[in-house]
């Protein structure tokens, strides 16, 4: 067993140095400050008590430091996964109940096990099913749903709906019940956080602050909003005036939890856990790769699966929720100078201290502030520009993106992603079911052959050369049959057909059947089939099949060799009938 | 509207000639004789009263003659579709009940509508989802299930089971209850039919009969078995000794039936109807294409969908069951000399006469004879040789074939086909997720470039040329990112990377994103990205994207042009640092 590959900590820890330590520690402080409000907020988004968000930012970070292959990825609760968690658990239990928390623990464990198994089985390629337009459309739609779902907290009203439209309509119906103090706190936080994101850093730089300090203050904006609104609520007893607050939350170490092993529950959560795993992995791995590339480092996608799997299993046993590598926190970690996963472990210590000592202070934290934090975070996920670019680049990619967005908004997250994946697969199959191919003729006086429709080339009425520009497999095998038989039907004097195979890297069993069928049908129609320029590995596999022995024609080393042999043939036997009798043939070259 | 395309009858009927008439009529007589016992048997296999099989061989044949594009295809009930019908309807109603017949009518109508809609929407390519190993494995497994399910009729016992093993065990348990007269009739028919299939024709030819007559007698073997065993049962009153017989069946025209429009039922049958449609279409279209090719004719797969759709809609309204183009009857029709679909219409008239006048005669027809007919017919579907060939040709194709067979045998027909399709798609995606690519170098003194791992070629430490041998799309986009970043991580002095794109026919939106990501990551790593030999249509689409403006490098017309430009560059600036500053560049060629 290759320990260093499966336990990346063995690669970096032995070489750890004092200078790296200070960089990692500073990064951890910045990420901790950013992560506290985010963890509370995403737990709320997932329908869980706020402390669950903190718990999910402790054990998983330690485990990722041991098993993860990215040096700078920061794991924890993220917006889209929290939404998917809320939807999946909400189907089976009531938000806020202890059953609900139990369902989330099972979901977390299942997702952890799936990720780990996929990593061990090296199934990272499964993430390729999610095309970029589908994942980007899905994240945009999720961002819109999340933002809309938080509006009620900002306004201090109750509203519910199964999709975006219902949600907005139900909000509209209770607009007269808006709680003014909540709105002031919520809107105030929103404007402050948004302004901080857009313009705080340049403004601080202008005021003469150092770049690092300006950066730190900008990152601290959310915790500042939390502190100020909590203090205001406490000082003015706004909770008595209808401002919803987080309330008393237990302080202490993360609890040890044992997820239920009830088989029925596992079956019901299977699809949700799989989608959460794959979406989380895709998000995480693309962040990890982007950051690694900046320092010419590499991450191993299959080891990432194991790292994320271990993190989620850890979360499931310590009162957490599904986690993955988050975009913004990882970028902050990277920018703040983190050099090894030890920065993540230090962050975990920071969050642990918060869970132990800070929780009494946030009893008066207004929920509206957390909602504002979420809205500002997720609106950066909404990317209409990507929709526009996709529209201009490719109508079929746009169609799967739009379907993903609409179905996610109307039917929900799981349906959205499944429809998107199915559509993009269908369109891929449709596209490859008609492989590029061209009937080619000889460029006069040369050994080159070109498409007869685009170039002035020599052709023969008794000979056709068909060049196929793609590998042959089940989705395009039938098209090839059609293409060949159309050619035969159109060219009544045809006696020899050459398939030029220089672009074929692979022939699967379906395509082999099709070639045998084509050979048999051509024989019936009195046409001899030849092959040309078959690649070595393809030829090796064809050796042991029935295609070559049953081939009436031969396998030529090049298209030109085929042309020379069959061209001469017709010159020698101009009056041969089309009855399908076999002409004298030169020895096959294979 | 192109009437001739949508109504193929307009192509052949106006040119119809007297000589064709006699060929078509003779073929119809032979097919009718063959079809009567087959129709009765497949209705029984589907769990329906025998007359339903006759009804399903009347209207559909007329409608196919109008809408179908094959000249010689013979439609009607077929074994595999009958099995799938029995499974789907058996989930919702008890065999033999009037509800059951109602469910089958809905299934037939749904399948007809799906086929027609797929034809009008030109979705024939959907059949490409079924790879040959999956369909061949599915048919083999279905053949085994069907044969096993008929054994009880041959033995005159009752047995049931949800899969092959259960069925055989339950048969074994009641072996002591075997009805001797039934066994004699059943086994006698089986041996006779099998012998007829194997050796009757050569034997008759030896006796000096003409080829045509010998052929006709061979085709008539099933009806002979039916006649003899019916007469024996009637004469010896074997029905009183426990031989199960068909019993009284109504004679007359097919009834007009109105399938239920209950939405819940339609929803429950959706998947079954879809699978029946696609399997039926795949079977039918491959028979149709094989026969058409023998006469250099063409069939239009999308028009075939419409033709089969119309046939099934017709069957649903005239007391029938799902139908498709059958292999054996179509071959018989073709061999007997049928030239136009009018042969099918004549066959329909023949079956109609049978429904009107023959039904009283078959009250004493033993069910064991029908079971023997089915067993002999389906055993020709079982193709272990194909399994063996697939095993030798491709392990991955074999895996999906084996999974299809095992799941079909153990879990059932629907699960079997779904697992097969999913597996073959997964394996295709896995294969294409790692596109062929090679780092290439210059063959000394030439303008040719070859794989550096296989050939002695010139390379440069500051320059790498990566040739990609396949189109780029979502499943392989991520692999390309990995491949490039691995290259960069391995070659520390690298400053220029050229992607040689001569084999790329298509770049989808995911791959475009990946190229942009690669460009950005390379920029971060201080490497300049260039493209070479981009095809015209691909370049046209890239023109309007952000890739080209953000490309630090350039687009070269050929790999050699890239080599010359970047090779010179290094010669001129040997001491350039790797800080990522941009070297002076020649003008882009695009």
């Amino acid at each position: 067993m290759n320990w260093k590959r499966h336990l990346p900590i063995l690669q970096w820890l032995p070489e750890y140095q004092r200078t790296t330590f200070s960089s990692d520690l500073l990064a951890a402080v910045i990420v901790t400050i950013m992560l506290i409000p985010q963890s509370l907020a995403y737990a709320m988004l997932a329908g869980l008590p706020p402390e669950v968000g903190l718990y999910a930012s402790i054990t998983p970070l330690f485990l990722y430091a041991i098993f993860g292959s990215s040096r700078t990825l920061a794991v924890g609760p993220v917006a889209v996964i929290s939404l998917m968690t809320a939807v999946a658990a909400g189907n089976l239990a009531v938000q806020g109940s202890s059953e609900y928390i139990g369902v989330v623990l099972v979901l977390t464990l299942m997702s952890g096990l799936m990720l780990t198994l996929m990593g061990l089985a090296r199934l990272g390629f499964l993430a390729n099913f999610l095309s970029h337009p589908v994942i980007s459309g899905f994240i945009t739609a999720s961002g819109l749903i999340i933002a809309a779902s938080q509006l009620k907290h900002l306004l201090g009203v109750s509203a519910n709906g199964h999709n975006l439209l219902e949600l907005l309509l139900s909000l509209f119906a209770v607009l007269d019940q808006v709680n003014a103090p909540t709105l002031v706190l919520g809107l105030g936080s929103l404007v402050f956080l948004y302004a901080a994101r857009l313009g705080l850093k340049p403004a601080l730089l202008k005021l003469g602050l150092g770049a690092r300090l300006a950066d730190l203050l900008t990152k601290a904006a959310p915790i500042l909003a939390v502190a100020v609104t909590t203090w205001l609520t406490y000082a003015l007893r706004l909770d008595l005036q209808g401002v919803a607050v987080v309330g008393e939350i237990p302080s202490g170490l993360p609890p040890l939890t044992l997820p239920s092993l009830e088989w029925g529950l596992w079956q019901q959560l299977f699809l949700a856990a799989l989608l959460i795993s794959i979406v989380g992995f895709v998000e995480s791995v693309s962040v990890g790769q982007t950051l690694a590339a900046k320092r010419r480092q590499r991450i191993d996608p299959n080891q990432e699966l194991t790292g994320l799997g271990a993190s989620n299993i850890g979360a499931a046993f310590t009162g957490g929720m599904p986690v993955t590598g988050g975009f913004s926190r990882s970028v902050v970690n990277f920018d703040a100078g983190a050099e090894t996963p030890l920065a993540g472990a230090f962050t975990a210590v920071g969050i642990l201290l918060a869970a132990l000592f800070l929780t009494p202070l946030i009893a008066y934290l207004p929920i509206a502030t957390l909602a504002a934090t979420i809205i500002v975070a997720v609106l950066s996920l909404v990317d209409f520009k990507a929709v526009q670019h996709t529209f201009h680049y490719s109508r079929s990619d746009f169609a799967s993106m739009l379907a993903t967005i609409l179905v996610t908004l109307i039917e929900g997250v799981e349906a959205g992603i499944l429809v998107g994946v199915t559509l993009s697969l269908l369109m891929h199959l449709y596209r490859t079911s008609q492989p590029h191919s061209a009937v080619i003729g000889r460029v006069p006086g040369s050994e080159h052959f070109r498409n007869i429709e685009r170039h002035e080339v020599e052709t023969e009425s008794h000979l056709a050369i068909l060049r196929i520009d793609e590998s042959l497999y089940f989705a395009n095998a039938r098209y090839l049959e059609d293409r060949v038989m159309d050619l035969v039907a159109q060219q009544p004097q045809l006696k020899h057909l050459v398939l030029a195979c220089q672009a074929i890297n692979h022939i699967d069993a379906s395509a082999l059947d099709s070639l045998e069928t084509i050979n048999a049908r051509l024989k019936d129609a009195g046409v001899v089939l030849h092959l040309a320029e078959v690649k070595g590995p393809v030829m090796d596999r064809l050796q042991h099949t029935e295609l070559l022995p049953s081939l009436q024609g031969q396998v030529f080393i090049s298209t030109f060799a085929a042309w020379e042999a069959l061209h001469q043939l017709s010159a020698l036997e101009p009056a041969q009938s089309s009855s399908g009798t076999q002409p004298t043939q030169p020895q096959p070259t294979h």
Side-chain angles (χ1 to χ4, degrees), chain A:
Chain A
M1 181 154 172
N2 183 346
W3 287 104
K4 280 204 177 178
R5 207 181 81 197
H6 291 288
L7 288 173
I9 193 173
L10 299 179
Q11 293 163 30
W12 55 265
L13 198 59
E15 297 160 14
Y16 201 79
Q17 286 166 357
R18 182 174 291 232
T19 51
T20 324
F21 176 81
S22 61
S23 312
D24 282 347
L25 191 62
L26 178 65
V29 170
I30 296 176
V31 174
T32 305
I33 289 173
M34 179 189 177
L35 216 52
I36 294 172
Q38 240 185 44
S39 302
L40 299 170
Y42 291 148
M44 187 180 87
L45 175 57
L48 294 161
E51 66 270 20
V52 172
L54 295 177
Y55 301 156
S57 306
I58 300 172
T59 336
L61 275 72
F62 284 122
L63 289 168
Y64 186 83
I66 299 172
F67 292 102
S69 74
S70 163
R71 296 283 166 103
T72 46
L73 193 78
V75 301
V78 306
V80 173
I81 299 299
S82 300
L83 172 67
M84 293 175 82
T85 303
V87 170
N91 285 336
L92 300 178
V94 180
Q95 276 200 12
S97 64
S98 66
E99 259 180 311
Y100 186 90
I101 299 178
V103 170
V104 173
L105 288 178
V106 172
L107 197 60
T108 312
L109 178 59
M110 286 180 75
S111 166
L113 292 174
M114 283 175 179
L115 288 163
T116 308
L117 289 177
M118 279 161 67
L120 295 177
R122 310 195 74 65
L123 293 180
F125 82 94
L126 280 180
N128 296 342
F129 269 97
L130 282 184
S131 73
H132 293 211
V134 169
I135 191 81
S136 146
F138 176 70
I139 287 180
T140 287
S142 301
L144 290 175
I145 293 175
I146 294 171
S149 75
Q150 298 307 310
L151 284 179
K152 60 179 176 187
H153 297 307
L154 220 55
L155 303 173
V157 296
S158 350
N160 271 308
H162 284 99
N163 59 41
L164 194 66
L165 190 67
E166 277 180 42
L167 200 64
L168 294 178
L169 284 178
S170 101
L171 267 180
F172 200 73
V174 293
L175 272 189
D176 52 326
Q177 298 163 27
V178 167
N179 180 270
T182 306
L183 186 61
V184 170
L185 288 176
L187 224 50
S189 305
L190 191 67
V191 170
F192 170 69
L193 290 171
Y194 204 66
R197 182 169 281 239
L198 288 184
L200 189 59
K201 195 171 161 191
L204 291 174
L205 286 174
K206 249 190 204 161
L207 287 176
L209 269 74
R212 198 143 227 188
L213 188 62
D215 200 43
L216 185 61
L217 282 175
T218 309
K219 301 278 151 44
I223 208 150
L224 201 67
V226 164
V228 170
T229 54
T230 305
W231 178 77
L232 276 176
T233 312
Y234 173 71
L236 305 175
R237 291 310 304 257
L238 294 177
D239 57 317
L240 301 179
Q241 293 176 49
V243 171
V245 295
V246 165
E248 296 263 326
I249 62 177
S251 61
L253 291 170
L256 284 180
T257 45
L258 195 65
S260 153
L261 296 177
E262 194 198 322
W263 181 234
L265 189 58
W266 282 57
Q267 281 185 308
Q268 285 174 301
L269 288 173
F270 184 84
L271 182 64
L274 187 67
L275 292 179
I276 286 177
S277 304
I278 292 183
V279 170
F281 170 63
V282 169
E283 206 180 329
S284 182
V285 87
S286 56
V287 178
Q289 278 175 332
T290 304
L291 297 180
K294 291 194 192 221
R295 295 193 186 146
R296 283 202 181 202
Q297 295 165 346
R298 297 291 307 131
I299 68 168
D300 170 358
N302 287 308
Q303 186 55 38
E304 277 302 289
L305 281 166
T306 316
L308 293 175
S311 302
N312 277 290
I313 293 173
F317 287 101
T318 54
M321 57 187 280
V323 295
T324 192
F327 178 71
S328 53
R329 79 193 55 164
S330 301
V331 172
V332 168
N333 194 37
F334 183 91
D335 285 346
E339 293 196 20
T340 73
L342 212 56
F346 293 155
T347 305
V349 173
I351 304 279
L352 184 66
L353 293 175
L356 284 174
F357 306 113
L358 277 185
T359 47
L361 300 181
I362 57 180
Y364 286 92
L365 168 56
I367 293 202
T369 309
L370 293 181
T373 313
I374 295 177
I375 291 176
V376 172
V378 298
L379 282 185
S380 69
L381 300 178
V382 175
D383 188 356
F384 288 121
K385 222 168 175 185
V387 179
Q388 199 187 334
H389 282 166
T390 308
F391 176 77
H392 286 301
Y393 184 67
S394 154
R395 289 306 187 287
S396 67
D397 276 309
F398 174 71
S400 43
M401 189 180 216
L402 190 68
T404 309
I405 294 178
L406 293 179
V407 178
T408 305
L409 290 181
I410 296 166
E411 275 291 308
V413 285
E414 292 175 9
I417 214 155
L418 290 176
V419 164
V421 168
T422 308
L423 257 186
S424 48
L425 272 177
L426 273 177
M427 283 194 276
H428 167 63
L429 276 152
Y430 178 69
R431 193 158 45 220
T432 56
S433 70
Q434 304 193 348
H436 287 246
S437 65
V439 177
I440 53 178
R442 182 191 183 198
V443 176
S446 80
E447 297 189 10
H448 292 292
F449 291 78
R450 292 278 183 282
N451 192 336
I452 60 167
E453 286 171 15
R454 296 208 189 161
H455 302 267
E456 285 283 329
V457 288
E458 296 173 17
T459 55
E460 294 274 343
S461 64
H462 75 293
L463 170 66
I465 308 174
L466 181 65
R467 189 191 68 212
I468 300 140
D469 291 343
E470 279 174 33
S471 285
L472 295 175
Y473 77 110
F474 62 87
N476 61 24
R478 234 176 289 270
Y479 174 82
L480 183 66
E481 295 176 27
D482 285 350
R483 183 81 163 92
V484 167
M485 297 318 291
D486 276 341
L487 203 61
V488 172
Q490 280 161 19
Q491 205 168 324
Q493 288 183 282
L494 190 67
K495 278 187 261 167
H496 295 279
L497 180 80
V498 179
L499 292 184
C501 305
Q502 60 266 49
I504 298 178
N505 291 315
H506 181 82
I507 295 180
D508 81 354
S510 301
L512 176 67
D513 280 354
S514 282
L515 287 175
E516 289 176 353
T517 306
I518 288 170
N519 185 41
R521 287 183 188 163
L522 288 178
K523 211 179 272 185
D524 287 343
V527 177
V528 180
L529 175 69
H530 307 266
L531 304 178
E533 295 195 41
V534 182
K535 288 192 174 179
V538 174
M539 198 63 201
D540 290 347
R541 300 190 81 186
L542 291 182
Q543 288 301 0
H544 308 285
T545 67
E546 288 175 5
L547 177 66
L548 295 185
S550 69
L551 201 64
Q552 280 190 294
Q554 41 177 315
V555 182
F556 293 100
I557 199 154
S558 71
T559 309
F560 183 66
W563 171 269
E564 279 205 315
L566 302 170
H567 183 66
Q568 282 173 0
L569 213 68
S570 91
L572 294 173
E573 308 173 43
Q576 202 207 349
S577 79
S578 68
S579 68
T581 52
Q582 209 170 331
T584 327
Q585 282 181 15
Q587 284 306 304
T589 55
H590 61 267

